[in-house]
Amino acid sequence: MFLKRFLIACMFSIATFAFAQEKQQTPIEAGTVLTIAKPSTANYKHIDFPRKNFIIKRGGIANFKTLYGKKVEVVSHSYSADGQTIVTLRPADGTKFFRNFSTVDAHLEDALSAGELIK
């Protein structure tokens, strides 16, 4: 009888703590330098680069291979409604992405876990 009540109390407390957990946000500050890595798929999924046709229309060169190993600096960060950290990135060397775009946005936790960004 006691064991049965004890097990029910344990399951209740475990369930309460499991649902109380919130998604941990990665601490990030403005000025943090990250590196863009090669995506695991054909395109970047978590870094919001413009589509190729927009790059070409603005006179840029749509070569994503030039981004591999590029150092980027976090300009600002914010949190979305679902708890994701959205960061604004700019090249650390002062150039622009594809000769026209000074900043891009990225979903930090997803980009780090997918290997698109490296700390």
Side-chain angles (χ1 to χ4, degrees):
M1 182 78 170
F2 174 74
L3 183 63
K4 188 175 182 181
R5 287 184 183 178
F6 179 74
L7 289 176
I8 290 173
C10 287
M11 284 194 264
F12 178 73
S13 63
I14 289 172
T16 303
F17 288 121
F19 287 116
Q21 295 286 328
E22 290 186 23
K23 187 174 183 178
Q24 294 292 327
Q25 296 173 340
T26 306
I28 195 81
E29 297 177 5
T32 304
V33 178
L34 304 170
T35 305
I36 297 177
K38 184 177 179 180
S40 58
T41 60
N43 297 321
Y44 290 95
K45 290 184 177 181
H46 307 292
I47 303 175
D48 299 329
F49 288 114
R51 294 189 324 201
K52 287 184 179 183
N53 63 329
F54 290 120
I55 297 169
I56 294 168
K57 282 182 183 178
R58 292 187 62 182
I61 300 170
N63 185 4
F64 285 90
K65 291 181 181 179
T66 60
L67 299 174
Y68 302 164
K70 189 172 193 81
K71 302 281 185 192
V72 292
E73 180 181 354
V74 175
V75 177
S76 65
H77 68 284
S78 62
Y79 301 104
S80 65
D82 60 353
Q84 289 239 344
T85 306
I86 300 173
V87 292
T88 302
L89 305 171
R90 74 171 171 216
D93 58 2
T95 60
K96 294 183 177 183
F97 295 106
F98 311 110
R99 297 187 340 190
N100 287 316
F101 301 93
S102 57
T103 62
V104 295
D105 290 335
H107 299 274
L108 184 65
E109 290 89 3
D110 294 337
L112 288 171
S113 65
E116 294 178 2
L117 286 176
I118 301 170
K119 275 192 171 184

mmCIF file of all heavy atoms in Angstrom, residues 54-85:
data_model
loop_
_atom_site.group_PDB
_atom_site.id
_atom_site.type_symbol
_atom_site.label_atom_id
_atom_site.label_comp_id
_atom_site.label_asym_id
_atom_site.label_seq_id
_atom_site.Cartn_x
_atom_site.Cartn_y
_atom_site.Cartn_z
ATOM 1 N N PHE A 54 17.108 37.166 -55.751
ATOM 2 C CA PHE A 54 17.193 38.495 -55.168
ATOM 3 C C PHE A 54 18.639 38.990 -55.141
ATOM 4 O O PHE A 54 18.893 40.178 -55.336
ATOM 5 C CB PHE A 54 16.610 38.514 -53.756
ATOM 6 C CG PHE A 54 15.127 38.350 -53.716
ATOM 7 C CD1 PHE A 54 14.554 37.302 -53.045
ATOM 8 C CD2 PHE A 54 14.302 39.248 -54.371
ATOM 9 C CE1 PHE A 54 13.184 37.149 -53.008
ATOM 10 C CE2 PHE A 54 12.933 39.104 -54.342
ATOM 11 C CZ PHE A 54 12.368 38.049 -53.659
ATOM 12 N N ILE A 55 19.566 38.103 -54.902
ATOM 13 C CA ILE A 55 20.978 38.481 -54.913
ATOM 14 C C ILE A 55 21.378 38.948 -56.302
ATOM 15 O O ILE A 55 22.016 39.993 -56.478
ATOM 16 C CB ILE A 55 21.856 37.294 -54.448
ATOM 17 C CG1 ILE A 55 21.537 36.931 -53.003
ATOM 18 C CG2 ILE A 55 23.330 37.624 -54.613
ATOM 19 C CD1 ILE A 55 22.141 35.632 -52.544
ATOM 20 N N ILE A 56 20.982 38.194 -57.324
ATOM 21 C CA ILE A 56 21.345 38.526 -58.700
ATOM 22 C C ILE A 56 20.662 39.813 -59.145
ATOM 23 O O ILE A 56 21.275 40.653 -59.817
ATOM 24 C CB ILE A 56 21.007 37.343 -59.630
ATOM 25 C CG1 ILE A 56 21.907 36.159 -59.275
ATOM 26 C CG2 ILE A 56 21.163 37.722 -61.091
ATOM 27 C CD1 ILE A 56 21.498 34.852 -59.905
ATOM 28 N N LYS A 57 19.399 40.021 -58.783
ATOM 29 C CA LYS A 57 18.680 41.247 -59.163
ATOM 30 C C LYS A 57 19.345 42.489 -58.602
ATOM 31 O O LYS A 57 19.299 43.550 -59.212
ATOM 32 C CB LYS A 57 17.235 41.193 -58.677
ATOM 33 C CG LYS A 57 16.337 40.348 -59.524
ATOM 34 C CD LYS A 57 14.916 40.387 -58.983
ATOM 35 C CE LYS A 57 14.009 39.487 -59.793
ATOM 36 N NZ LYS A 57 12.638 39.472 -59.273
ATOM 37 N N ARG A 58 19.960 42.360 -57.431
ATOM 38 C CA ARG A 58 20.629 43.516 -56.821
ATOM 39 C C ARG A 58 22.088 43.637 -57.243
ATOM 40 O O ARG A 58 22.830 44.450 -56.705
ATOM 41 C CB ARG A 58 20.526 43.427 -55.304
ATOM 42 C CG ARG A 58 19.067 43.609 -54.855
ATOM 43 C CD ARG A 58 18.911 43.707 -53.397
ATOM 44 N NE ARG A 58 19.607 44.876 -52.851
ATOM 45 C CZ ARG A 58 19.655 45.156 -51.570
ATOM 46 N NH1 ARG A 58 19.056 44.372 -50.703
ATOM 47 N NH2 ARG A 58 20.303 46.213 -51.141
ATOM 48 N N GLY A 59 22.506 42.826 -58.196
ATOM 49 C CA GLY A 59 23.858 42.949 -58.732
ATOM 50 C C GLY A 59 24.915 42.169 -57.980
ATOM 51 O O GLY A 59 26.102 42.364 -58.209
ATOM 52 N N GLY A 60 24.517 41.283 -57.112
ATOM 53 C CA GLY A 60 25.473 40.497 -56.349
ATOM 54 C C GLY A 60 25.817 39.196 -57.042
ATOM 55 O O GLY A 60 25.239 38.833 -58.072
ATOM 56 N N ILE A 61 26.764 38.499 -56.485
ATOM 57 C CA ILE A 61 27.180 37.198 -56.995
ATOM 58 C C ILE A 61 26.696 36.147 -56.012
ATOM 59 O O ILE A 61 27.101 36.139 -54.853
ATOM 60 C CB ILE A 61 28.710 37.130 -57.155
ATOM 61 C CG1 ILE A 61 29.164 38.206 -58.126
ATOM 62 C CG2 ILE A 61 29.138 35.749 -57.607
ATOM 63 C CD1 ILE A 61 30.659 38.393 -58.176
ATOM 64 N N ALA A 62 25.826 35.264 -56.488
ATOM 65 C CA ALA A 62 25.179 34.273 -55.612
ATOM 66 C C ALA A 62 26.034 33.027 -55.480
ATOM 67 O O ALA A 62 25.667 31.942 -55.909
ATOM 68 C CB ALA A 62 23.801 33.934 -56.153
ATOM 69 N N ASN A 63 27.194 33.155 -54.837
ATOM 70 C CA ASN A 63 28.092 32.032 -54.614
ATOM 71 C C ASN A 63 28.166 31.768 -53.111
ATOM 72 O O ASN A 63 28.865 32.470 -52.378
ATOM 73 C CB ASN A 63 29.482 32.342 -55.184
ATOM 74 C CG ASN A 63 30.410 31.169 -55.077
ATOM 75 O OD1 ASN A 63 30.033 30.090 -54.645
ATOM 76 N ND2 ASN A 63 31.650 31.380 -55.480
ATOM 77 N N PHE A 64 27.436 30.761 -52.667
ATOM 78 C CA PHE A 64 27.383 30.460 -51.239
ATOM 79 C C PHE A 64 28.667 29.799 -50.736
ATOM 80 O O PHE A 64 28.893 29.752 -49.534
ATOM 81 C CB PHE A 64 26.173 29.576 -50.936
ATOM 82 C CG PHE A 64 24.873 30.325 -50.976
ATOM 83 C CD1 PHE A 64 24.147 30.431 -52.149
ATOM 84 C CD2 PHE A 64 24.387 30.943 -49.847
ATOM 85 C CE1 PHE A 64 22.958 31.124 -52.195
ATOM 86 C CE2 PHE A 64 23.197 31.644 -49.869
ATOM 87 C CZ PHE A 64 22.482 31.740 -51.046
ATOM 88 N N LYS A 65 29.504 29.309 -51.623
ATOM 89 C CA LYS A 65 30.756 28.678 -51.195
ATOM 90 C C LYS A 65 31.732 29.702 -50.607
ATOM 91 O O LYS A 65 32.624 29.338 -49.851
ATOM 92 C CB LYS A 65 31.400 27.944 -52.355
ATOM 93 C CG LYS A 65 30.607 26.719 -52.773
ATOM 94 C CD LYS A 65 31.284 25.995 -53.902
ATOM 95 C CE LYS A 65 30.444 24.797 -54.310
ATOM 96 N NZ LYS A 65 31.034 24.063 -55.424
ATOM 97 N N THR A 66 31.564 30.970 -50.947
ATOM 98 C CA THR A 66 32.435 31.997 -50.380
ATOM 99 C C THR A 66 32.152 32.248 -48.907
ATOM 100 O O THR A 66 32.938 32.893 -48.228
ATOM 101 C CB THR A 66 32.277 33.326 -51.146
ATOM 102 O OG1 THR A 66 30.920 33.758 -51.049
ATOM 103 C CG2 THR A 66 32.671 33.166 -52.601
ATOM 104 N N LEU A 67 31.037 31.716 -48.401
ATOM 105 C CA LEU A 67 30.670 31.918 -46.997
ATOM 106 C C LEU A 67 31.342 30.923 -46.062
ATOM 107 O O LEU A 67 31.408 31.169 -44.856
ATOM 108 C CB LEU A 67 29.155 31.808 -46.831
ATOM 109 C CG LEU A 67 28.318 32.823 -47.601
ATOM 110 C CD1 LEU A 67 26.847 32.487 -47.449
ATOM 111 C CD2 LEU A 67 28.604 34.220 -47.115
ATOM 112 N N TYR A 68 31.824 29.805 -46.577
ATOM 113 C CA TYR A 68 32.406 28.762 -45.728
ATOM 114 C C TYR A 68 33.613 29.328 -44.986
ATOM 115 O O TYR A 68 34.557 29.834 -45.581
ATOM 116 C CB TYR A 68 32.835 27.556 -46.541
ATOM 117 C CG TYR A 68 31.748 26.890 -47.352
ATOM 118 C CD1 TYR A 68 32.068 26.011 -48.364
ATOM 119 C CD2 TYR A 68 30.408 27.125 -47.136
ATOM 120 C CE1 TYR A 68 31.094 25.386 -49.127
ATOM 121 C CE2 TYR A 68 29.422 26.517 -47.878
ATOM 122 C CZ TYR A 68 29.776 25.654 -48.870
ATOM 123 O OH TYR A 68 28.810 25.046 -49.624
ATOM 124 N N GLY A 69 33.579 29.265 -43.675
ATOM 125 C CA GLY A 69 34.683 29.742 -42.848
ATOM 126 C C GLY A 69 34.677 31.231 -42.595
ATOM 127 O O GLY A 69 35.591 31.749 -41.960
ATOM 128 N N LYS A 70 33.673 31.948 -43.050
ATOM 129 C CA LYS A 70 33.611 33.396 -42.869
ATOM 130 C C LYS A 70 33.259 33.726 -41.423
ATOM 131 O O LYS A 70 32.341 33.172 -40.841
ATOM 132 C CB LYS A 70 32.575 33.995 -43.813
ATOM 133 C CG LYS A 70 32.581 35.502 -43.862
ATOM 134 C CD LYS A 70 31.649 35.973 -44.967
ATOM 135 C CE LYS A 70 31.838 37.428 -45.264
ATOM 136 N NZ LYS A 70 32.961 37.695 -46.126
ATOM 137 N N LYS A 71 33.993 34.635 -40.834
ATOM 138 C CA LYS A 71 33.736 35.094 -39.462
ATOM 139 C C LYS A 71 32.636 36.151 -39.496
ATOM 140 O O LYS A 71 32.672 37.072 -40.310
ATOM 141 C CB LYS A 71 34.993 35.703 -38.845
ATOM 142 C CG LYS A 71 36.177 34.771 -38.807
ATOM 143 C CD LYS A 71 36.052 33.825 -37.669
ATOM 144 C CE LYS A 71 37.332 32.986 -37.593
ATOM 145 N NZ LYS A 71 37.195 31.878 -36.721
ATOM 146 N N VAL A 72 31.639 35.982 -38.625
ATOM 147 C CA VAL A 72 30.546 36.945 -38.518
ATOM 148 C C VAL A 72 30.417 37.401 -37.072
ATOM 149 O O VAL A 72 30.760 36.685 -36.140
ATOM 150 C CB VAL A 72 29.209 36.351 -39.017
ATOM 151 C CG1 VAL A 72 29.245 36.121 -40.507
ATOM 152 C CG2 VAL A 72 28.857 35.080 -38.292
ATOM 153 N N GLU A 73 29.922 38.612 -36.908
ATOM 154 C CA GLU A 73 29.774 39.221 -35.596
ATOM 155 C C GLU A 73 28.284 39.386 -35.296
ATOM 156 O O GLU A 73 27.511 39.777 -36.167
ATOM 157 C CB GLU A 73 30.462 40.577 -35.593
ATOM 158 C CG GLU A 73 30.392 41.315 -34.301
ATOM 159 C CD GLU A 73 31.077 42.674 -34.406
ATOM 160 O OE1 GLU A 73 31.686 42.980 -35.433
ATOM 161 O OE2 GLU A 73 30.968 43.420 -33.432
ATOM 162 N N VAL A 74 27.899 39.118 -34.079
ATOM 163 C CA VAL A 74 26.511 39.303 -33.655
ATOM 164 C C VAL A 74 26.289 40.791 -33.398
ATOM 165 O O VAL A 74 26.965 41.393 -32.575
ATOM 166 C CB VAL A 74 26.195 38.479 -32.390
ATOM 167 C CG1 VAL A 74 24.799 38.768 -31.891
ATOM 168 C CG2 VAL A 74 26.383 37.006 -32.653
ATOM 169 N N VAL A 75 25.349 41.376 -34.143
ATOM 170 C CA VAL A 75 25.023 42.793 -33.980
ATOM 171 C C VAL A 75 23.977 42.963 -32.890
ATOM 172 O O VAL A 75 24.109 43.822 -32.016
ATOM 173 C CB VAL A 75 24.510 43.387 -35.309
ATOM 174 C CG1 VAL A 75 24.106 44.833 -35.138
ATOM 175 C CG2 VAL A 75 25.554 43.245 -36.398
ATOM 176 N N SER A 76 22.927 42.152 -32.954
ATOM 177 C CA SER A 76 21.870 42.216 -31.947
ATOM 178 C C SER A 76 21.207 40.856 -31.833
ATOM 179 O O SER A 76 21.405 39.986 -32.683
ATOM 180 C CB SER A 76 20.827 43.281 -32.319
ATOM 181 O OG SER A 76 20.173 42.905 -33.511
ATOM 182 N N HIS A 77 20.434 40.698 -30.788
ATOM 183 C CA HIS A 77 19.688 39.456 -30.607
ATOM 184 C C HIS A 77 18.324 39.770 -30.003
ATOM 185 O O HIS A 77 18.136 40.783 -29.349
ATOM 186 C CB HIS A 77 20.455 38.460 -29.723
ATOM 187 C CG HIS A 77 20.585 38.888 -28.299
ATOM 188 N ND1 HIS A 77 21.470 39.852 -27.895
ATOM 189 C CD2 HIS A 77 19.936 38.496 -27.191
ATOM 190 C CE1 HIS A 77 21.370 40.025 -26.593
ATOM 191 N NE2 HIS A 77 20.431 39.214 -26.132
ATOM 192 N N SER A 78 17.378 38.889 -30.291
ATOM 193 C CA SER A 78 16.042 39.016 -29.730
ATOM 194 C C SER A 78 15.479 37.616 -29.556
ATOM 195 O O SER A 78 16.070 36.632 -30.008
ATOM 196 C CB SER A 78 15.137 39.853 -30.635
ATOM 197 O OG SER A 78 15.006 39.218 -31.893
ATOM 198 N N TYR A 79 14.345 37.540 -28.887
ATOM 199 C CA TYR A 79 13.719 36.255 -28.625
ATOM 200 C C TYR A 79 12.339 36.246 -29.262
ATOM 201 O O TYR A 79 11.573 37.192 -29.108
ATOM 202 C CB TYR A 79 13.615 35.992 -27.118
ATOM 203 C CG TYR A 79 14.962 35.990 -26.444
ATOM 204 C CD1 TYR A 79 15.387 37.065 -25.689
ATOM 205 C CD2 TYR A 79 15.813 34.910 -26.588
ATOM 206 C CE1 TYR A 79 16.636 37.065 -25.093
ATOM 207 C CE2 TYR A 79 17.058 34.901 -25.990
ATOM 208 C CZ TYR A 79 17.463 35.982 -25.238
ATOM 209 O OH TYR A 79 18.693 35.982 -24.656
ATOM 210 N N SER A 80 12.036 35.183 -29.986
ATOM 211 C CA SER A 80 10.722 35.058 -30.613
ATOM 212 C C SER A 80 9.707 34.562 -29.588
ATOM 213 O O SER A 80 10.061 34.221 -28.460
ATOM 214 C CB SER A 80 10.789 34.115 -31.815
ATOM 215 O OG SER A 80 11.093 32.809 -31.386
ATOM 216 N N ALA A 81 8.452 34.497 -30.010
ATOM 217 C CA ALA A 81 7.378 34.076 -29.102
ATOM 218 C C ALA A 81 7.546 32.633 -28.637
ATOM 219 O O ALA A 81 7.158 32.278 -27.533
ATOM 220 C CB ALA A 81 6.027 34.245 -29.780
ATOM 221 N N ASP A 82 8.161 31.788 -29.480
ATOM 222 C CA ASP A 82 8.343 30.389 -29.098
ATOM 223 C C ASP A 82 9.655 30.146 -28.369
ATOM 224 O O ASP A 82 10.031 29.004 -28.144
ATOM 225 C CB ASP A 82 8.217 29.477 -30.318
ATOM 226 C CG ASP A 82 9.244 29.788 -31.394
ATOM 227 O OD1 ASP A 82 9.974 30.790 -31.265
ATOM 228 O OD2 ASP A 82 9.324 29.020 -32.366
ATOM 229 N N GLY A 83 10.378 31.204 -27.987
ATOM 230 C CA GLY A 83 11.578 31.071 -27.180
ATOM 231 C C GLY A 83 12.873 30.930 -27.955
ATOM 232 O O GLY A 83 13.918 30.708 -27.364
ATOM 233 N N GLN A 84 12.829 31.053 -29.263
ATOM 234 C CA GLN A 84 14.044 30.941 -30.064
ATOM 235 C C GLN A 84 14.837 32.245 -30.010
ATOM 236 O O GLN A 84 14.260 33.331 -29.953
ATOM 237 C CB GLN A 84 13.681 30.657 -31.518
ATOM 238 C CG GLN A 84 13.141 29.293 -31.749
ATOM 239 C CD GLN A 84 14.005 28.548 -32.744
ATOM 240 O OE1 GLN A 84 14.796 29.140 -33.452
ATOM 241 N NE2 GLN A 84 13.854 27.255 -32.774
ATOM 242 N N THR A 85 16.149 32.133 -30.042
ATOM 243 C CA THR A 85 17.014 33.293 -30.091
ATOM 244 C C THR A 85 17.283 33.625 -31.544
ATOM 245 O O THR A 85 17.824 32.801 -32.286
ATOM 246 C CB THR A 85 18.346 33.019 -29.378
ATOM 247 O OG1 THR A 85 18.082 32.553 -28.062
ATOM 248 C CG2 THR A 85 19.198 34.268 -29.316
#
